[in-house]
Amino acid sequence: MEIKKILVAYDGSAGSQKALEWSIMLAGKHESEIVVVAVVKPPEFSPSIDEVDEFYADGEKHIRPLLDKAVQFCGEQGVSIRAEVLRGHPAESIVRHAYDQCFDVIIMGTRGIGGFKSLVIGSVAQKVVTYSKVPVLVVK
């Protein structure tokens, strides 16, 4: 199996950092391109479209330093990556982007939420695994 494009879902958590490290290892073996993505979720409620745009712009300001950190980390490992910010619901955005952009694999971490809390709030990783047509590697 050839792996040429790897999408890494990144939110700055320890789990996503492990996913990034796995992607570097996999990319080294397959000479793959790595694209790190972070998602800005839409606001729960907004009375106007202008406020939605401001909300997304603010979210991107907070996410950009995380992505810069990921790019720097990969650079220190001798790996060049590209970083992108997506807008929308995290699992849906990751699944759609991976499919539309013809990625070969999605690599993501888990936050380790277990028990009742995971039943109530669900998990982005669980939703991506459930709905993605692109293979998913979940790193714990």
Side-chain angles (χ1 to χ4, degrees), residues 79-119:
V79 177
S80 175
I81 67 168
R82 194 162 38 97
E84 298 177 1
V85 177
L86 307 177
R87 293 179 173 186
H89 295 283
E92 180 183 337
S93 298
I94 292 165
V95 167
R96 185 179 331 111
H97 193 68
Y99 182 77
D100 290 347
Q101 299 299 314
C102 301
F103 281 88
D104 298 305
V105 65
I106 299 168
I107 301 179
M108 58 191 313
T110 63
R111 289 188 174 211
I113 299 171
F116 182 73
K117 192 172 182 180
S118 69
L119 289 174

Side-chain angles (χ1 to χ4, degrees), residues 8-120:
V8 180
Y10 193 81
D11 63 3
S13 67
S16 69
Q17 183 63 30
K18 286 181 184 176
L20 186 59
E21 292 168 11
W22 270 80
S23 72
I24 291 169
M25 180 185 65
L26 200 58
K29 292 182 179 181
H30 293 271
E31 299 180 11
S32 313
E33 172 190 13
I34 300 173
V35 178
V36 177
V37 301
V39 183
V40 177
K41 293 189 286 189
E44 295 293 325
F45 172 78
S46 182
S48 75
I49 194 72
D50 291 337
E51 289 179 335
V52 172
D53 287 340
E54 286 178 30
F55 181 87
Y56 278 128
D58 272 355
E60 289 182 24
K61 283 181 191 172
H62 291 290
I63 283 179
R64 188 53 66 184
L66 294 174
L67 293 177
D68 291 345
K69 182 179 168 185
V71 169
Q72 181 182 353
F73 176 78
C74 288
E76 292 167 358
Q77 309 302 311
V79 177
S80 175
I81 67 168
R82 194 162 38 97
E84 298 177 1
V85 177
L86 307 177
R87 293 179 173 186
H89 295 283
E92 180 183 337
S93 298
I94 292 165
V95 167
R96 185 179 331 111
H97 193 68
Y99 182 77
D100 290 347
Q101 299 299 314
C102 301
F103 281 88
D104 298 305
V105 65
I106 299 168
I107 301 179
M108 58 191 313
T110 63
R111 289 188 174 211
I113 299 171
F116 182 73
K117 192 172 182 180
S118 69
L119 289 174
V120 173

